[in-house]
Each structure stands twice: as C-alpha cells, then as structure tokens.
Amino acid sequence: MEKGLKMEIVCVEKLDSTHLFLCEKIRKGETDKNFAIYALEQTNGVGSKDNIWQSSKGNLHLSFCMKQDDLPQDLPLASASIYFAYLLKEILESKGSQIWLKWPNDLYIKDLKAGGIISAKIKDFIIGGIGLNLKFAPKNTTLLDIKISLKDLVEEFLEILEQKKSWKNIFRKYMLEFEKSKKFSVCHEGKKIPLENALLYEDGSILLENKRVYSLR
C-alpha cells in the first residue's frame, strides 16, 4: 500500500489485460478487499463494448475494484464510468491539461480521444478500468498534453477515489462540460446518432431520439 491509501496497489511489468485479470480474480473469490493493479505494458487490453484497447509500454493501464459500500451512496451505478472518468479528468486538469470528458466516459484533448474508462459489477464489487495515452497514441487518437509520473497519477487517483466525493458534486460540474459532447455522435443499437439534441439527466443517462440511454460501457 502507498501513502495513506487503504487500497492495495500492485504494479506488474506486463499483463494481457488488467481488467480481465481483476474480473477473474473477483469471480474466483481471490480478493475480498479493494484492490488496484496497473501494468507497465498491456498486450490485449479491453475497451468499450469489449473492443480491443490498443496501447503500448508507458501508457496508463489501470484496473481497480471497490466494494459498493465504499463508493458514494448517491452514485448511480450505471454511471460509475462517468464518475471515475471525471475524477481522473479533474486531477489532470489541475496539472495543466486541457483534457475533457466526452459522454459517457471518453477522455478527449480537443477533438481526439486520449483515453477511456470502462466499468463492471461483479458480486459486491464495482470494477473500473482506465486506459490513457501517455507515451503512445494509436491512429486517430492523441497523447495526453502534459507529462506526468505513472506511479504518481495512479496513487493520486486512488487517493481521491477513496474520498468518496458525492455524485451530486461531480455531476453539477459535469453538466456544464456535457455541452462539449454535443458536437459529437455515439453509436447506439447499430446506429451513429448525433448528440446535438441529447438531454442529460441527473443520473448521467441521456434522452436520445426519445429513448433513455445509460452509459454505453
């Protein structure tokens, strides 16, 4: 464990997927406490909708699990990815980054994706997975616009996560940022739908073509 963190943190040299590793660990009952793992290199990462997350050595590949009771009581679990992403965005922004959060959980620099967050629920754990381009950016994506220590970023994020900031507090700020998403589209039910007229609800879902849509992750 690092600093004042209650969560155990493990760093490994290489792993297929931190997300799949952690999910399997929980399914097998091999952990009963909050836990985080990050890999210096990830060879078969998982992105949104089970797509492959392309990455390379030096990028952020972090997965963590939190007991549901250790998260804010007002957090809508369907929007956990938005919550995790906004916490990370605030850390990076405080260090000078122009990063912003595109609905529901993609981290952007201007008009290009720099990272993303997925979440899942297994047993009484909520699992979060973060990928962020620090050293390598696949085609049509971009690098984070500031230099930051991988170890320091992981520790600072997990430390803030343990503070249990309320969803209400995070959502109030995200409401303003959501306007930036309206120039983009999302894929839903096999269609690419513009977010131009989307309405954001307090639980993080949106009204899209007269349908209530929750996080697509």
Side-chain angles (χ1 to χ4, degrees):
M1 296 188 195
E2 306 289 346
K3 298 180 180 179
L5 288 169
K6 299 175 184 175
M7 185 184 297
E8 181 182 357
I9 307 173
V10 172
C11 175
V12 297
E13 189 71 28
K14 182 187 289 189
L15 202 60
D16 289 350
S17 164
T18 59
H19 181 74
L20 295 179
F21 172 86
L22 189 52
C23 288
E24 187 66 13
K25 189 177 177 72
I26 293 169
R27 288 192 185 99
K28 290 181 176 178
E30 293 176 356
T31 185
D32 60 355
K33 58 186 178 182
N34 298 342
F35 179 82
I37 181 168
Y38 68 104
L40 302 181
E41 185 175 358
Q42 184 170 256
T43 57
N44 192 26
V46 177
S48 59
K49 301 179 184 176
D50 294 326
N51 291 326
I52 293 173
W53 176 265
Q54 292 184 339
S55 190
S56 187
K57 191 170 185 177
N59 284 355
L60 175 65
H61 320 105
L62 168 68
S63 292
F64 56 91
C65 62
M66 297 279 289
K67 289 282 185 69
Q68 190 171 328
D69 290 345
D70 291 329
L71 290 165
Q73 290 186 349
D74 68 338
L75 175 62
L77 295 185
S79 292
S81 294
I82 297 175
Y83 178 79
F84 298 146
Y86 202 86
L87 290 179
L88 182 64
K89 176 256 181 185
E90 286 195 316
I91 293 171
L92 297 170
E93 188 178 54
S94 73
K95 299 179 185 302
S97 175
Q98 298 299 308
I99 203 161
W100 63 278
L101 175 57
K102 174 182 169 288
W103 191 89
N105 49 355
D106 289 330
L107 294 165
Y108 268 58
I109 304 288
K110 295 182 180 177
D111 291 345
L112 290 174
K113 185 174 178 177
I117 293 172
I118 58 175
S119 61
K121 184 178 187 299
I122 299 176
K123 297 183 179 179
D124 58 346
F125 282 104
I126 304 300
I127 301 103
I130 301 176
L132 187 63
N133 298 337
L134 302 181
K135 300 290 185 182
F136 165 82
K139 187 177 179 181
N140 299 323
T141 70
T142 190
L143 291 172
L144 182 67
D145 55 349
I146 59 171
K147 302 297 182 184
I148 188 168
S149 157
L150 191 60
K151 183 174 182 289
D152 289 348
L153 179 57
V154 168
E155 291 178 5
E156 193 167 344
F157 171 75
L158 296 174
E159 190 173 10
I160 287 178
L161 187 59
E162 288 186 343
Q163 292 176 12
K164 295 177 69 170
K165 291 188 176 186
S166 72
W167 166 255
K168 182 179 179 181
N169 176 275
I170 295 297
F171 181 77
R172 186 171 64 245
K173 292 179 281 188
Y174 180 61
M175 281 178 63
L176 302 175
E177 186 151 294
F178 177 73
E179 294 302 310
K180 293 182 181 181
S181 293
K182 292 192 172 184
K183 62 185 285 190
F184 293 87
S185 300
V186 294
C187 291
H188 180 59
E189 295 181 346
K191 294 192 298 180
K192 194 171 184 178
I193 305 174
L195 288 170
E196 183 180 5
N197 298 313
L199 298 177
L200 180 67
Y201 289 98
E202 289 185 359
D203 63 356
S205 64
I206 58 173
L207 184 65
L208 199 62
E209 293 191 333
N210 296 316
K211 292 182 181 179
R212 191 82 169 258
V213 180
Y214 289 84
S215 171
L216 302 177
R217 301 334 189 222

